[in-house]
Amino acid sequence: MLSAVFIYNQKGEVLISRLYRHDVKRSVADVFRVHVIASVGAVRSPVTTLGSTTFFHIRYDNLWVCAVARHNVNAALVFEFLYRVLGLGVSYFGRFDESAVKSNFVLVYELLDEVLDFGYPQNMEVDTLKLYVTTESVRSRVEAPQITMQATGATTWRRQDIVYKKNEAFVDVIEAVNLLVSAKGTVLRSDVQGQIVMRSFLSGMPECKFGLNDKLQMDHAGVDIADCQFHQCVRLGKFDVDRTISFIPPDGEFELMRYRATDAINLPFKVLPVVRERGRTVEYEVLIKANFSAKLCATNMVVTVPTPPSATTCRIKVTGAGKAKYDPEENALVWRISRLQGLQETSLTAVVDLAPMAKPVPWSRPPISLDFQVLMFTASGLLVRFLKVFEKSNYHSVKWVRYMTKAGSYQVRI
């Protein structure tokens, strides 16, 4: 599997160096620094093969995290491991950057020793690791036999002696809408990337059953979801049989599943732009319509309308919600709307003056982009039909479900 793991800062200095096999030397860290970090603009792929050595890397904050392999390994598995390492760092230190690594390098080495054995991934459950890989801020009160049972048992992600006075489960369905519309108004791409995040505060070892309104379960009347990825606690056999998500949840917050939807997307906003270039001025008319229910509202909206690089002054008028101003650093009109009710419309008109140029340069017309959040709305139409909790003590539990749709890459060409 993996022969080594290195963590570099943005200058290429090695912060962490851990070798797991004897088929590479520590000097291989210099090879990655010279061929990848030193030539950032030339390297586009996160997988680089030099000779018989393959480097898998990800960039996070001001760090480069690199895994080295000498054999033909599963690239998806390697990147899953690297992102799990980042998750461990954030869970332990609150943030994972150069300062956190330098301040906790002993703990980082200890974690790397625990999660890989001779280059093969082992237990990477945060809750289990925190039982025996501890710091001043992460202390364990669990006895050694219990740690062994959890680390080697059937449910490594949850221990049995959890007790809450009030048993609650919170479910968040979070969707990111991706949209690309041509200048003529044709939808070129629309899809939804969704995730279901659960926060479990349940006593004992509860069995949870979770149902969605997907097509296979609702006789083709529901939502067509694809590319489902589940947390390891989900029993995949039951999902394949009756599409019911059955699992014993970890304690606290975790990502239950991810999915993708491409059919019958309910676009939350319709954007109608008109841009006219008249000599040394550019005229804008941008109309935004909210397509969701009047009972709902969008918050934290930011509409970015690009302007030519030679723009000098702007005259802007907003009819409806929000305020707009010209941002010369972004070469754009930034229109901020704190709250927009469903089925409402708001518009922006602007005249942008351009500086005289000896040789006019054609304007590439970048697309208008939107950023927003809409609570209790799903663009895919996905709904949680039921969430049942079964536990041998038969206690009463309270369940909460919340929906949120936000912008992914939401762009309209002009």
Side-chain angles (χ1 to χ4, degrees):
M1 183 57 181
L2 298 182
S3 298
V5 172
F6 299 105
I7 299 178
Y8 304 80
N9 63 12
Q10 58 188 359
K11 297 178 181 178
E13 299 170 345
V14 178
L15 304 178
I16 299 293
S17 171
R18 181 68 175 90
L19 303 183
Y20 295 96
R21 293 170 176 258
H22 300 296
D23 53 359
V24 296
K25 297 181 180 179
R26 208 167 296 274
S27 59
V28 76
D30 299 328
V31 177
F32 180 79
R33 178 173 60 245
V34 171
H35 288 85
V36 178
I37 298 180
S39 56
V40 177
V43 177
R44 294 183 178 180
S45 172
V47 182
T48 305
T49 301
L50 301 171
S52 59
T53 305
T54 304
F55 300 90
F56 305 83
H57 77 271
I58 56 177
R59 295 189 66 180
Y60 182 81
D61 205 298
N62 54 3
L63 296 178
W64 294 73
V65 185
C66 173
V68 182
R70 295 273 293 179
H71 305 283
N72 185 17
V73 299
N74 187 332
L77 179 62
V78 175
F79 284 112
E80 178 68 18
F81 166 77
L82 293 177
Y83 281 107
R84 288 285 191 96
V85 170
L86 294 181
L88 284 175
V90 173
S91 179
Y92 266 86
F93 316 130
R95 56 192 176 88
F96 197 58
D97 55 14
E98 181 179 357
S99 175
V101 171
K102 286 183 175 180
S103 302
N104 303 276
F105 74 94
V106 175
L107 183 58
V108 173
Y109 273 112
E110 192 173 351
L111 286 171
L112 289 177
D113 285 338
E114 291 293 338
V115 299
L116 278 182
D117 184 13
F118 197 59
Y120 289 93
Q122 304 298 309
N123 186 8
M124 299 193 71
E125 284 297 323
V126 176
D127 293 337
T128 305
L129 289 170
K130 284 184 177 181
L131 296 178
Y132 56 93
V133 181
T134 60
T135 63
E136 291 184 0
S137 59
V138 179
R139 294 187 178 275
S140 174
R141 298 181 180 178
V142 183
E143 299 296 330
Q146 292 177 278
I147 296 176
T148 304
M149 288 182 62
Q150 182 173 344
T152 60
T155 55
T156 59
W157 56 86
R158 184 182 181 92
R159 64 180 203 271
Q160 299 184 5
D161 57 348
I162 299 173
V163 178
Y164 287 101
K165 291 183 179 179
K166 186 176 181 180
N167 294 284
E168 295 179 298
F170 300 85
V171 177
D172 289 338
V173 180
I174 304 170
E175 294 189 342
V177 188
N178 300 311
L179 174 71
L180 180 60
V181 179
S182 71
K184 295 182 179 180
T186 305
V187 177
L188 303 177
R189 184 190 68 147
S190 66
D191 64 84
V192 168
Q193 302 287 341
Q195 61 176 162
I196 298 179
V197 178
M198 185 171 179
R199 285 179 293 154
S200 166
F201 305 103
L202 301 171
S203 305
M205 296 290 285
E207 174 85 17
C208 296
K209 288 190 176 181
F210 194 85
L212 302 170
N213 63 331
D214 62 315
K215 267 191 177 181
L216 293 180
Q217 198 171 31
M218 300 290 291
D219 295 328
H220 303 284
V223 177
D224 187 11
I225 58 175
D227 298 342
C228 296
Q229 303 174 35
F230 296 99
H231 188 275
Q232 67 178 29
C233 66
V234 176
R235 294 185 174 90
L236 298 180
K238 288 190 175 182
F239 180 77
D240 292 336
V241 172
D242 58 8
R243 305 293 285 186
T244 299
I245 303 171
S246 179
F247 57 98
I248 297 175
D251 187 43
E253 183 174 331
F254 66 100
E255 185 180 77
L256 179 64
M257 69 175 287
R258 290 188 179 190
Y259 61 90
R260 186 170 61 90
T262 56
D263 296 334
I265 304 300
N266 302 317
L267 298 176
F269 296 100
K270 186 173 184 180
V271 183
L272 302 173
V274 177
V275 180
R276 306 184 189 91
E277 297 184 51
R278 301 181 185 277
R280 286 171 51 188
T281 63
V282 180
E283 299 176 355
Y284 293 85
E285 294 178 9
V286 181
L287 176 66
I288 297 179
K289 298 180 179 180
N291 294 331
F292 45 87
S293 168
K295 297 179 181 179
L296 308 178
C297 68
T299 57
N300 302 323
M301 282 189 66
V302 179
V303 183
T304 305
V305 183
T307 60
S310 58
T312 55
T313 59
C314 300
R315 299 181 294 280
I316 306 171
K317 180 182 178 182
V318 174
T319 304
K323 296 181 179 180
K325 67 176 182 178
Y326 171 61
D327 187 345
E329 294 183 358
E330 297 289 336
N331 282 329
L333 306 175
V334 180
W335 183 10
R336 300 183 185 276
I337 305 171
S338 59
R339 182 185 179 94
L340 183 64
Q341 206 70 27
L343 301 181
Q344 284 191 350
E345 297 181 1
T346 183
S347 63
L348 174 146
T349 58
V351 178
V352 177
D353 298 321
L354 307 180
M357 301 179 67
K359 186 178 181 181
V361 178
W363 180 34
S364 61
R365 290 199 173 203
I368 295 174
S369 62
L370 272 71
D371 190 15
F372 56 83
Q373 290 183 354
V374 185
L375 287 177
M376 304 311 293
F377 172 82
T378 54
S380 66
L382 190 75
L383 297 174
V384 177
R385 295 193 301 116
F386 63 84
L387 173 59
K388 300 177 181 179
V389 178
F390 305 95
E391 215 274 337
K392 60 183 180 181
S393 62
N394 200 26
Y395 56 68
H396 173 71
S397 59
V398 181
K399 281 86 72 175
W400 306 86
V401 179
R402 182 179 65 169
Y403 303 93
M404 185 180 75
T405 295
K406 61 182 180 179
S409 174
Y410 205 96
Q411 298 181 334
V412 179
R413 292 177 178 172
I414 56 178

